Amino acid sequence: MKKIKIKDRMFVVMIVLFILFAFSTLIGVKNCIESAKVRKDLENEMIQNCEILDRNTATKEHLEICDRILAADYEKYRPTAYTTYYSYILEYIRKYCNEFILILIILIGSVFYVTKYLRNRMILNDLTREDYKRVKKKLFFSSWKYSLLVPLMLIVVFSIVILFVGSVDIFENERTGYLLENTIFAKNVLVYFGVLLLNAFILTLLYCNIGLIVARKEHNYILALIKSYIIIIGIEIFFEVILYHIIYKLSGSSFGVYFNIITVFEYTYTEKNLLTIWILLGLLAISFVALYLSYRNKEHLIIDCEKNDNKEED
């Protein structure tokens, strides 16, 4: 049997594309800075007009408005790293690469080598030189490395936001206070960004595991890609439509809303601190158990691979 050498150039290409996309979020930061400048100019103009106002001839209503303007603390409405990310960057990212597109991109990369490796029976050659445990590790890591793409992109995005906006403090204002007050995220946005990175890593690693599980039996790249995507979307629909209502009917609780495997670019339900992370870790642990069970029998895997012909896929 001819050995087919596959170089995973796709991973390198995706790293470059994700980093370039991250740098393109400078557009969002630019919009934020420009909006803040316009707002600052408007504030200065209002303050100036109120300071030169003739209080002897002004109406009572006009005086009240000016008193509120002069007494207002505009500093707390200045853009922070948190508000910049949520008001500008998140919208920009989802405009060009929302979570449903992202899931497909992660699967395109993470399933590619695995299906090639199994369909072309490369594993049979490797098993003559290496033990099964080592071969599995190589196979799994060829997929798992794609879970690093989104965290890497977000690190670049967060660095850009913090560098250009400057403030990592979360001001207790009308946009963020009610969301983050009395949570572990209330003091510093770096805590929130760190949890968001963990959230993104867990979810994308979960996608990779699902792709690996599907690829164990389905060695056709396109079919494995489609099936993996359908399973991920199906799990999300199950959580939102079925599990949520089951929990609500049994306990009257809305606890089911915390089961979400789609939201990669933001960490929701911050009022519950790390509850969502613990749930995602539980789901990830289940996926690892399923992955272990899928690949534990070497003989069955060999038999399935031997059923494939020697024809290479394009």
Side-chain angles (χ1 to χ4, degrees), residues 3-233:
K3 182 175 179 179
I4 302 166
K5 187 175 182 180
I6 300 173
K7 295 182 179 179
D8 194 3
R9 295 190 183 96
M10 187 180 293
F11 182 63
V12 177
V13 171
M14 283 196 177
I15 286 179
V16 173
L17 291 177
F18 270 75
I19 291 178
L20 288 175
F21 182 65
F23 277 106
S24 74
T25 59
L26 279 166
I27 296 172
V29 175
K30 180 174 176 287
N31 292 337
C32 175
I33 294 173
E34 289 177 351
S35 296
K37 184 178 183 300
V38 171
R39 188 164 56 248
K40 177 64 176 175
D41 291 341
L42 181 60
E43 291 166 5
N44 289 337
E45 183 181 349
M46 290 190 301
I47 291 171
Q48 227 173 22
N49 290 336
C50 286
E51 286 176 341
I52 63 175
L53 177 70
D54 187 348
R55 303 186 73 87
N56 295 320
T57 59
T59 64
K60 181 180 179 182
E61 183 182 1
H62 200 169
L63 287 172
E64 289 177 352
I65 293 173
C66 272
D67 287 341
R68 286 199 297 269
I69 290 174
L70 293 172
D73 180 11
Y74 293 102
E75 284 303 315
K76 69 178 183 179
Y77 297 107
R78 297 286 179 262
T80 64
Y82 179 87
T83 56
T84 301
Y85 179 76
Y86 267 89
S87 300
Y88 296 91
I89 307 302
L90 190 57
E91 179 183 354
Y92 176 86
I93 290 175
R94 283 179 169 158
K95 180 180 179 180
Y96 297 102
C97 183
N98 63 51
E99 278 89 346
F100 293 99
I101 296 174
L102 176 72
I103 293 170
L104 185 59
I105 292 172
I106 296 297
L107 290 174
I108 285 172
S110 63
V111 173
F112 177 74
Y113 179 81
V114 179
T115 53
K116 290 283 187 180
Y117 187 75
L118 298 178
R119 181 167 180 84
N120 293 305
R121 304 196 292 178
M122 296 167 62
I123 189 173
L124 303 184
N125 277 350
D126 286 349
L127 286 173
T128 62
R129 301 187 303 271
E130 302 175 274
D131 62 83
Y132 184 51
K133 184 177 180 180
R134 186 178 180 83
V135 170
K136 282 196 301 182
K137 183 185 293 186
K138 179 175 69 175
L139 187 64
F140 291 167
F141 274 96
S142 72
S143 176
W144 289 341
K145 64 188 177 186
Y146 285 88
S147 66
L148 299 175
L149 292 175
V150 177
L152 180 61
M153 182 191 80
L154 289 178
I155 288 173
V156 175
V157 170
F158 297 156
S159 299
I160 290 172
V161 170
I162 292 171
L163 179 64
F164 282 88
V165 178
S167 176
V168 296
D169 294 325
I170 296 179
F171 296 164
E172 295 296 331
N173 61 35
E174 60 183 12
R175 288 178 292 177
T176 62
Y178 74 97
L179 290 173
L180 302 177
E181 189 176 7
N182 299 321
T183 70
I184 62 174
F185 313 106
K187 297 300 180 182
N188 194 302
V189 76
L190 296 180
V191 177
Y192 180 84
F193 282 168
V195 173
L196 181 52
L197 282 176
L198 180 60
N199 176 79
F201 174 70
I202 294 172
L203 284 173
T204 49
L205 185 56
L206 179 63
Y207 304 154
C208 293
N209 278 354
I210 291 173
L212 282 166
I213 293 167
V214 171
R216 165 60 187 82
K217 285 290 186 180
E218 182 54 75
H219 301 167
N220 181 284
Y221 174 55
I222 300 299
L223 292 179
L225 181 63
I226 294 172
K227 289 179 180 180
S228 300
Y229 189 82
I230 291 174
I231 287 173
I232 292 170
I233 302 302

